[in-house]
Amino acid sequence: MKIQFEDLNNQQEALSAMLKSLVTSVGAVDALFHIDLNKPEVWLGKSWLKCLKQRQSILFSSARLEETFESYRKRLKSMDIELSKSVRKDLYSWSSVSSHAAKRIREGGYERVVSVSIPLATCSDLRGRFLYFYDGVSEQSEFEIRRSIENSLNEMIVYQTAVSASHLITSPLEDYGMLKSATISIIRHLSQGCSRTELSEVHHMTPRGIDYHLERAKCLLGAKNTHNLVHKSHSLLLI
């Protein structure tokens, strides 16, 4: 157990260093990264932005940015035009005077936000999303910022691949609360080869109760059977 803890700490430190390196390479002062649904409005409905308030699995390059972002989320409206655009575009930037959201970000000392969305090679339903934060000292033009980001795309892909393979970030489906913790636990035990009887014993449920959770998960993920459910759950980072 101690070795696993140390490995996890080393992994966290390595990913933190990689994120800070990306911040430097694009000339920003801070950045955050999370893995999101490709089309959150399809999965969560029109009020999907409200669900952002409960997401915990976000990686930050500094405590300052984490505090700023948490303050912003508390006052997040049900519809934020700039944030919605950033989700729908591969690369999008906005200044601190162009939206309610960005004005809140300015309180943390940031003047410009640039979002970069990159598809996950392992799952078309997920995307890695970087938000880079620039202060008023930055003298880069819009063109220079975009060029720096384009030159760093390979590094970003390497980073998000490392993050998705780690145990430091959870699936958006779990983070948004789209599946109950019991359902996710059942899927994970199923992927380890547990039978219906064993699942019932471990989770203190009747076989019928186990089937209820599995059917709900199949419906949400569009899985044809339990084998397909395990496969989809793996690609969506649930297991």
Side-chain angles (χ1 to χ4, degrees), residues 146-207:
R146 288 175 176 266
R147 186 173 59 184
S148 296
I149 287 174
E150 289 170 358
N151 290 338
S152 301
L153 274 178
N154 286 337
E155 295 174 60
M156 291 184 216
I157 293 172
V158 170
Y159 176 80
Q160 77 169 23
T161 300
V163 170
S164 61
S166 74
H167 298 290
L168 298 174
I169 199 162
T170 59
S171 168
L173 275 72
E174 182 176 2
D175 214 22
Y176 278 125
M178 298 168 67
L179 286 172
K180 294 181 178 180
S181 57
T183 305
I184 296 171
S185 181
I186 288 170
I187 295 172
R188 288 172 179 168
H189 280 104
L190 181 67
S191 71
Q192 295 167 4
C194 288
S195 65
R196 283 287 202 288
T197 302
E198 291 171 328
L199 289 173
S200 296
E201 292 175 354
V202 171
H203 295 278
H204 307 289
M205 295 182 191
T206 63

Side-chain angles (χ1 to χ4, degrees), residues 29-216:
V29 293
D30 265 322
L32 68 80
F33 174 83
H34 69 286
I35 294 177
D36 205 357
L37 298 166
N38 187 21
K39 297 180 179 180
E41 70 279 5
V42 174
W43 291 80
L44 299 165
K46 293 182 179 179
S47 60
W48 65 268
L49 269 178
K50 289 182 179 179
C51 300
L52 181 63
K53 292 185 178 183
Q54 70 188 68
R55 292 211 63 182
Q56 299 298 316
S57 203
I58 302 175
L59 303 180
F60 298 90
S61 63
S62 74
R64 167 195 171 192
L65 177 58
E66 185 171 4
E67 291 175 4
T68 299
F69 192 73
E70 289 305 318
S71 176
Y72 151 68
R73 286 206 294 182
K74 289 178 181 178
R75 291 175 284 188
L76 182 64
K77 295 183 177 180
S78 58
M79 179 52 67
D80 187 292
I81 296 176
E82 299 293 354
L83 194 56
S84 296
K85 287 181 179 179
S86 73
V87 170
R88 293 184 175 88
K89 296 186 178 183
D90 292 340
L91 194 154
Y92 184 73
S93 76
W94 67 93
S95 68
S96 61
V97 296
S98 63
S99 73
H100 170 79
K103 287 177 182 177
R104 296 302 182 189
I105 295 298
R106 188 176 186 180
E107 294 175 3
Y110 307 105
E111 294 290 332
R112 178 174 294 278
V113 184
V114 179
S115 67
V116 184
S117 296
I118 305 172
L120 259 67
T122 55
C123 183
S124 61
D125 287 317
L126 300 180
R127 296 177 76 86
R129 184 164 293 115
F130 296 85
L131 265 68
Y132 291 106
F133 295 77
Y134 296 80
D135 60 17
V137 179
S138 175
E139 297 181 353
Q140 290 189 96
S141 65
E142 184 77 18
F143 173 78
E144 289 172 327
I145 289 175
R146 288 175 176 266
R147 186 173 59 184
S148 296
I149 287 174
E150 289 170 358
N151 290 338
S152 301
L153 274 178
N154 286 337
E155 295 174 60
M156 291 184 216
I157 293 172
V158 170
Y159 176 80
Q160 77 169 23
T161 300
V163 170
S164 61
S166 74
H167 298 290
L168 298 174
I169 199 162
T170 59
S171 168
L173 275 72
E174 182 176 2
D175 214 22
Y176 278 125
M178 298 168 67
L179 286 172
K180 294 181 178 180
S181 57
T183 305
I184 296 171
S185 181
I186 288 170
I187 295 172
R188 288 172 179 168
H189 280 104
L190 181 67
S191 71
Q192 295 167 4
C194 288
S195 65
R196 283 287 202 288
T197 302
E198 291 171 328
L199 289 173
S200 296
E201 292 175 354
V202 171
H203 295 278
H204 307 289
M205 295 182 191
T206 63
R208 188 172 181 178
I210 295 295
D211 286 338
Y212 165 79
H213 283 277
L214 291 176
E215 288 304 318
R216 189 175 182 279

